[in-house]
Amino acid sequence: MFTEIPTSRPATPLLDQIDCPEQLRTLAVDQLPELARQLRHFLLYSVGQTGGHFGAGLGMVELTLALHYIFDTPDDHLVWDVGHQCYPHKVITGRREQLLSIRKQDGLAPFPKRHESPYDDFGVGHSSTSISAALGMALAHKLKGESRSTVAIIGDGAMTGGMAFEALNHAAHTDTNLLVILNDNDMSISHNEGGLATYLAKNLKVKRTEAITAAAMFEALEFDYTGPVDGHDFDQLIPELERLKKAKGPQFLHLRTTKGKGFQPAESDPVGYHAITKLPSPEEQQPVGVPAKGLSYSKVFGQWLCDQARSDRRLVAITPAMSEGSGMVQFAKEFPQRFFDVAIAEQHAVTLAAGLACQGEKPVLAIYSTFLQRGYDQLIHDVALQDLDVLFAIDRAGLVGEDGPTHHGAFDLSFLSCIPNLLLMTPADESEARQMLSTGYQYSGPACVRYPRGTGPGAVPADDLQPLEIGKSRLLRQGERVAILNFGSLLVPAREAAEALNATLVDMRFVKPLDRQRIVGLAETCDLLVTLEENALIGGAGALVNSTVLAQQLNVQVLNLGLKDQFISHGNAASLLAEQGLDGEGVERQIRQRLEA
């Protein structure tokens, strides 16, 4: 059992011999426990250097080794769900030393990525997709007459997503050779919620020979069930996988594992050690007595949520398994009867909010931008079409950094701005975020507040619950020739560019409804309107400004600045913004180029 994260690379002589699974398969079975120990030690060191997903990978060391030992990867396929647990897989498949580049710009991706390695069979990042993808692969092999194995590895957290059960239901109908492995550690990112989690947890307490009820559930879906099996015991894993590789039809293997296995602090606190930041170098240490940066947007939301709930007993809060990340821990403690963690079920979360709103409650759904994509039909059909009173607190909007394209909130303004009945707001700082949450809550109908990850420019929120006047922007700087219309999180680079160019600067605040009166007024006094947003250019806030200019037949040029038409890779968020030309220097440069054209 390890108790500290090493600061220098540990000696791993056996691991250093493994550059591909073919070399792993030359080892004797009794060498695997030592290899697992060295792999776990190396993971502690490497993630300490880079930061990243931590507990899930530690809990998957033995299973990862056993899978590559028994199955003929990459000819056989391993499909990992979500991908938080993929670091051991990357080490064993020829990327050991590259792991020190993970999550860095131009380094290894934080999740499985098809273009990165032939051993990464399916790109992931969102939950509950593995069984569907693996079934598709298995069906393709069946159609071609190929005898290749396909394995889906899914956690009990991801099993709470309805898509997983849609795939299980279909798999039985196809009678295809497919192995589904349930990695059951009683955790997702946070503690699991719901009846399925309770059901599985109860069955972990019984002996394998008594696990009748667990078998009944999956055998009712026409899977051959095996388990529960200790996922850290090679003496159990190896023979079971050997047997299941030869088995025909849909197979289900239920494993017991421990998140953070082998590292005592992570085993004791699996939520806190789901992911970690890199260990600071001596020069990066925070000086004693120096306060940390201002409030994060998630903290602003959490404080507002509690304040608003004290003021209005109708408020109910919903999260799809993101209580900690969304800043809802205090609310859950203070108002447990009004807090609903629905597990990894974004579609259900949205329609649940709609149902609550139908009966006069005031639901607030806290959801990451990238995960709201999964509830889009419900947002349109169940909430907006019926003009229901639901507030969407959309966290992680824009570029989130090291988690990369599966987690960037790059599209929400585009897919939200086209929906009728929707109030859509983009705060430029922490104070506006709180005001907009109050505005959206008091608005009669569906409302969205989208805000970025991390902290803002340092504006201190007020303690009250006063709303903003809907559809009204604010003038921050009066200049000449150029007017910068900032939507949301890029106010600091917008201000830098405005001062360098002596440009007018407007904090637009509202994407929908737009402050059209402001746009018309600026068009009468400026040569160029510049829209600025941390969202895809296509269909974003700038596109709505363009429509206004066209509809009003305004005699003014428009320059739209935002995220380019591409999937943006992982890396430091500030560096990614600069690469997109959305830092102060980049905004100024693009405006000058347009003026000189």
Side-chain angles (χ1 to χ4, degrees):
M1 176 74 73
F2 298 104
T3 58
E4 294 182 352
I5 297 175
T7 56
S8 58
R9 194 192 191 289
T12 55
L14 185 57
L15 179 65
D16 294 346
Q17 298 176 30
I18 308 301
D19 292 318
C20 62
E22 289 86 350
Q23 294 172 333
L24 168 66
R25 292 191 278 269
T26 66
L27 299 180
V29 172
D30 60 10
Q31 292 179 283
L32 296 181
E34 174 58 21
L35 180 61
R37 188 195 69 80
Q38 292 184 21
L39 175 52
R40 193 166 270 118
H41 204 186
F42 177 78
L43 288 171
L44 289 172
Y45 163 71
S46 64
V47 182
Q49 296 298 304
T50 65
H53 295 112
F54 191 76
L58 292 176
M60 292 290 282
V61 167
E62 287 82 7
L63 176 59
T64 302
L65 293 176
L67 285 168
H68 282 292
Y69 191 78
I70 296 301
F71 290 93
D72 298 321
T73 55
D75 289 335
D76 291 337
H77 300 306
L78 305 179
V79 182
W80 307 91
D81 210 287
V82 184
H84 292 153
Q85 74 278 53
C86 73
Y87 290 20
H89 163 77
K90 294 202 177 203
V91 171
I92 293 301
T93 55
R95 291 167 279 181
R96 180 180 62 249
E97 303 308 321
Q98 290 176 276
L99 203 68
L100 293 173
S101 74
I102 202 165
R103 296 163 56 87
K104 297 177 182 177
Q105 206 155 351
D106 302 321
L108 288 185
F111 302 98
K113 185 177 180 180
R114 280 173 53 82
H115 296 304
E116 186 177 286
S117 169
Y119 294 94
D120 290 1
D121 291 297
F122 197 75
V124 294
H126 288 188
S127 170
S128 314
T129 63
S130 62
I131 305 176
S132 296
L135 178 59
M137 295 176 185
L139 286 170
H141 298 320
K142 184 177 182 180
L143 290 169
K144 296 175 184 176
E146 298 172 343
S147 59
R148 299 160 73 177
S149 297
T150 308
V151 184
I153 305 100
I154 185 169
D156 51 322
M159 280 291 289
T160 63
M163 184 176 175
F165 282 89
E166 293 174 15
L168 287 172
N169 182 62
H170 181 218
H173 177 71
T174 66
D175 194 31
T176 300
N177 296 339
L178 172 69
L179 171 59
V180 175
I181 297 178
L182 173 61
N183 171 40
D184 195 343
N185 59 22
D186 195 28
M187 295 289 298
S188 54
I189 291 177
S190 182
H191 290 284
N192 280 330
E193 301 289 341
L196 176 64
T198 303
Y199 180 87
L200 292 174
K202 286 180 179 178
N203 282 284
L204 286 179
K205 297 176 183 177
V206 302
K207 296 179 182 179
R208 181 181 168 194
T209 55
E210 298 171 350
I212 297 171
T213 55
M217 175 181 176
F218 295 105
E219 288 180 353
L221 293 168
E222 299 184 34
F223 274 76
D224 289 335
Y225 173 89
T226 302
V229 170
D230 186 344
H232 302 298
D233 184 352
F234 285 112
D235 289 340
Q236 294 186 42
L237 279 175
I238 295 299
E240 289 292 0
L241 291 176
E242 286 180 328
R243 180 183 66 82
L244 290 168
K245 182 181 179 181
K246 301 171 185 175
K248 301 298 182 182
Q251 304 292 322
F252 194 96
L253 174 60
H254 185 173
L255 298 184
R256 297 173 295 181
T257 63
T258 301
K259 193 170 184 178
K261 177 69 174 179
F263 183 59
Q264 190 276 326
E267 288 193 27
S268 301
D269 181 16
V271 174
Y273 280 90
H274 169 72
I276 64 171
T277 57
K278 69 176 183 178
L279 297 177
S281 61
E283 59 271 17
E284 293 173 325
Q285 295 283 357
Q286 177 95 343
V288 176
V290 175
K293 203 175 176 181
L295 291 176
S296 70
Y297 283 97
S298 297
K299 183 74 171 179
V300 171
F301 167 72
Q303 291 181 349
W304 171 85
L305 189 66
C306 290
D307 292 344
Q308 186 67 67
R310 297 184 194 108
S311 175
D312 186 351
R313 62 169 299 279
R314 295 176 301 155
L315 186 150
V316 290
I318 303 168
T319 175
M322 288 293 165
S323 174
E324 287 83 7
S326 294
M328 304 174 79
V329 172
Q330 183 58 40
F331 179 91
K333 291 178 180 178
E334 191 171 341
F335 305 99
Q337 300 304 313
R338 294 154 66 181
F339 174 72
F340 300 97
D341 185 339
V342 303
I344 302 173
E346 293 86 1
Q347 296 177 8
H348 167 59
V350 176
T351 305
L352 174 71
L356 284 160
C358 282
Q359 298 305 309
E361 302 299 316
K362 295 280 287 188
V364 178
L365 172 55
I367 190 167
Y368 290 7
S369 171
T370 185
F371 299 141
L372 182 56
Q373 296 165 185
R374 312 186 79 180
Y376 190 55
D377 180 67
Q378 290 71 26
L379 173 58
I380 294 175
H381 187 270
D382 298 334
V383 177
L385 179 63
Q386 304 186 91
D387 200 23
L388 291 174
D389 202 0
V390 177
L391 173 60
F392 294 86
I394 305 172
D395 200 347
R396 270 66 166 180
L399 301 183
V400 297
E402 288 83 357
D403 281 345
T406 59
H407 284 59
H408 292 323
F411 309 111
D412 54 75
L413 292 184
S414 300
F415 68 70
L416 291 171
S417 62
C418 61
I419 301 175
N421 296 337
L422 204 65
L423 176 65
L424 181 54
M425 296 169 279
T426 57
D429 58 39
E430 305 92 325
S431 179
E432 276 192 351
R434 182 180 172 98
Q435 290 177 295
M436 289 179 180
L437 289 164
S438 294
T439 305
Y441 187 81
Q442 296 179 37
Y443 177 74
S444 180
C448 299
V449 182
R450 60 98 73 172
Y451 46 88
R453 181 182 188 180
T455 58
V460 179
D463 293 330
D464 58 40
L465 298 170
Q466 292 301 310
L468 297 171
E469 182 179 356
I470 290 176
K472 293 298 181 183
S473 61
R474 60 171 179 155
L475 178 67
L476 300 180
R477 188 183 192 281
Q478 184 65 57
E480 299 177 353
R481 291 195 64 196
V482 175
I484 300 175
L485 283 60
N486 176 70
F487 291 89
S489 56
L490 298 177
L491 182 62
V492 171
R495 192 184 298 275
E496 292 173 0
E499 292 175 354
L501 295 164
N502 190 25
T504 295
L505 176 60
V506 178
D507 175 16
M508 291 300 292
R509 292 182 165 181
F510 294 85
V511 175
K512 195 173 186 180
L514 272 176
D515 189 345
R516 290 183 170 82
Q517 184 177 351
R518 177 80 69 182
I519 295 170
V520 171
L522 291 172
E524 293 173 350
T525 59
C526 297
D527 300 325
L528 177 65
L529 302 183
V530 180
T531 66
L532 184 61
E533 61 191 302
E534 195 173 345
N535 185 83
L537 276 173
I538 298 176
L544 293 181
V545 173
N546 297 347
S547 298
T548 298
V549 169
L550 183 63
Q552 299 290 329
Q553 298 183 341
L554 302 177
N555 185 26
V556 66
Q557 295 187 58
V558 182
L559 171 63
N560 300 134
L561 300 181
L563 302 179
K564 300 172 185 175
D565 185 24
Q566 63 186 79
F567 288 107
I568 299 169
S569 187
H570 57 280
N572 175 268
S575 298
L576 294 176
L577 282 173
E579 192 177 74
Q580 293 286 311
L582 298 179
D583 58 345
E585 181 181 332
V587 172
E588 178 190 350
R589 181 181 64 253
Q590 292 180 83
I591 295 174
R592 288 191 186 279
Q593 289 172 348
R594 181 59 176 269
L595 291 172
E596 295 167 0

